[in-house]
Every structure is written in structure tokens, then in C-alpha cells.
Amino acid sequence: MIDKKIETILIVEDDPGLADLIGEKVEECGFLPACVHSGKKAIAWLKSNEAPRLIILDFSLPDMNARDFISDFAATGRELPPFIVSTGQGDERIAVEMMKMGALDYIVKGTHFLDLLPGALQKVNRELEREEQRLLAEKKLRESEESYRSQFENNSTVMLMIDPDSTLIVDANNAAVSFYGYPRDKLLAMRITDININPESTVRKAMQTVVLQGCLQFEFIHKIADGSQHNVMVSASSIRFKGRNVIHSIITDVTARKQAEK
């Protein structure tokens, strides 16, 4: 079993004794504390170490305040890791300003500061985990869509994406453009009912059945750009594509087979 890496929390606090006490609370929460006692040392630490899970940033430091620290670090061109601000001043205006500058929390160093700190750390950590999960899900979705897009576009089988409500053709692969004989921009401005010569009510009913049942096959007659009509077998399924539900249709020309059957 591989042990989970212990993540670091950087404590930027000018009071060494308080920094040690904060470090103990950080360890109790399962993190590794790292302490520095000025803004410049914090910037140097961030430049030379892997980004910490979180920064606990004292608002008033010997060489700068938290506002200056955030600005000075931004000037390095690096992205500031998530941070919370601790302060001996219960100034609501400063709290609002810090939150606007990206602070995830603002903690006043009062009587119960050390008792409240673990709860604040756990709350912020949960928020970070939720955000990481959201970003990971978005990344996987983008990768999935990019992979699907590549397979869709380069597939030799004729494929269309159709909006089941408007019947608009929302996407077509290269094979579809070649098969139907229309320029891509014109094909994507058409409705499937402009191509399918069966009654519109029949086509709409078929698509709604696909939406309800997930996947079905139909035989239709499609008209292509030169005016000829082709018997086609449509394998249709309901999928999510670019954030909406569409009908993914795989079209197979069965005209020769139908003529042979006759």
C-alpha cells in the first residue's frame, strides 16, 4: 500500500511562539507545518519549494502586510496557493478586502483562535477537495469529448448529431458531408426533416422514442444534394454532447441491398 503524501501548510507568522502553536494544530489536522516569520522569507520559500496545500498568512508582518505580500508575490508571475488570513485586528473592512483578494477565510487571533483553527483548516480543506474534484471531472469530460470528437470526425461511417426538439443537424462528420453532398455549413443549417423524406411527424416520433428508450434502429429514405433518394438504416442513440442531449445517428446506405431484394 502506498502511503498518502503528507501535504504542507505554510505558516507566515512573525511571532515564533505563536507560529509553533499553530504548527502543532496543523500537525493535529494531518498536515506538515512549515514556518517563516516575514513576507520576504515567505516569498522566497514559495519560490524554492513545492506549492503548499494552504498558507496561513498573518495580516501584519514586520516587513509588509498581507495586502503587500499578495501584490509582491503576484509580481513574480506565479500563482499564489490557497490562503487564509489571521490577524489580531477584528476589522471587517480588512476581512472583506482580503476575501476579495482571494482569501478563503479570515480568522481573528482572539482568545479561542487556536481552538477554532482546526475547524477552519478542515472547512477550507473540504472546499479545496470539492474544487479539485470539480476540476478533475471537467478535465475528464474535456478529454472524453476531445477523444469522442476525434473518433466522430475521422470515422468513415456517416454520422449526424441531431437536436431532438428542433430537428436541427448540430454536427456532421466528414463522411456525412461527403455522403449528402452539401457543404458543411449548409448541412449544419438544415434540419433532418429537410433530408428525410418520410413525414415529419414520423421522424419526430422516432426521435422522441430514442430519447425515451436510449437506442433504436429505423429504416428511412434520405434525399441527398443531387436529388437522388437513398434507403438508409439509421442506428440512433440519445447522448450528452457539448452540454446538451442530442440524437447520435449512424447512417448506413442500404439502397443496393434493397434493390437486390426487389
Side-chain angles (χ1 to χ4, degrees):
M1 181 177 178
I2 300 174
D3 292 333
K4 183 179 178 182
K5 180 183 176 183
I6 299 176
E7 295 183 283
T8 301
I9 288 183
L10 177 63
I11 302 163
V12 187
E13 169 61 55
D14 64 339
D15 182 337
L18 181 56
D20 289 342
L21 292 173
I22 294 173
E24 291 176 7
K25 294 296 182 181
V26 165
E27 286 183 322
E28 289 175 11
C29 293
F31 297 98
L32 181 67
C35 300
V36 294
H37 306 307
S38 71
K40 289 181 179 178
K41 288 181 179 179
I43 291 173
W45 190 97
L46 290 168
K47 284 182 177 179
S48 58
N49 291 274
E50 185 178 341
R53 177 66 167 172
L54 182 70
I55 301 172
I56 301 175
L57 176 63
D58 186 8
F59 181 78
S60 299
L61 295 165
D63 54 348
M64 64 183 72
N65 60 31
R67 184 188 306 111
D68 298 328
F69 170 81
I70 295 167
S71 299
D72 287 358
F73 190 80
T76 68
R78 297 169 179 247
E79 183 177 353
L80 184 65
F83 67 97
I84 62 176
V85 174
S86 63
T87 178
Q89 307 172 39
D91 190 324
E92 186 176 331
R93 290 174 300 176
I94 294 176
V96 171
E97 180 184 9
M98 289 296 96
M99 300 299 274
K100 285 182 177 179
M101 293 185 78
L104 298 178
D105 206 346
Y106 181 87
I107 310 173
V108 177
K109 290 187 282 190
T111 307
H112 303 291
F113 168 66
L114 291 173
D115 295 327
L116 296 173
L117 185 59
L121 292 179
Q122 290 165 3
K123 171 178 170 287
V124 169
N125 192 50
R126 286 194 297 270
E127 291 175 358
L128 292 173
E129 286 176 346
R130 282 196 292 269
E131 179 64 11
E132 286 165 355
Q133 290 169 0
R134 184 187 68 80
L135 292 173
L136 180 60
E138 288 183 354
K139 181 175 181 287
K140 288 182 176 179
L141 179 60
R142 284 195 302 272
E143 290 173 348
S144 175
E145 287 186 348
E146 288 169 3
S147 174
Y148 185 83
R149 177 71 194 178
S150 176
Q151 294 177 37
F152 172 81
E153 192 64 43
N154 300 315
N155 203 300
S156 60
T157 303
V158 176
M159 296 183 185
L160 297 175
M161 298 286 191
I162 303 162
D163 185 319
D165 297 320
S166 66
T167 74
L168 281 168
I169 299 171
V170 297
D171 210 347
N173 67 354
N174 292 328
V177 172
S178 177
F179 175 70
Y180 288 106
Y182 296 101
R184 180 181 294 276
D185 57 347
K186 183 172 182 179
L187 186 60
L188 297 183
M190 298 172 71
R191 301 175 186 273
I192 192 61
T193 48
D194 297 326
I195 289 172
N196 194 322
I197 70 168
N198 295 80
E200 182 174 341
S201 59
T202 302
V203 178
R204 284 185 174 276
K205 184 178 179 180
M207 288 195 293
Q208 290 307 315
T209 304
V210 173
V211 170
L212 293 173
Q213 297 188 21
C215 185
L216 284 174
Q217 273 196 339
F218 307 95
E219 277 199 33
F220 285 129
I221 299 175
H222 283 189
K223 179 177 62 177
I224 65 174
D226 65 7
S228 62
Q229 296 179 2
H230 291 242
N231 296 92
V232 294
M233 177 69 71
V234 180
S235 298
S237 55
S238 179
I239 65 168
R240 291 286 293 176
F241 181 70
K242 294 184 179 178
R244 60 174 166 174
N245 292 322
V246 299
I247 303 295
H248 175 219
S249 295
I250 298 174
I251 295 100
T252 305
D253 188 352
V254 295
T255 305
R257 191 197 75 193
K258 299 293 287 187
Q259 291 175 344
E261 288 174 357
K262 289 181 181 181

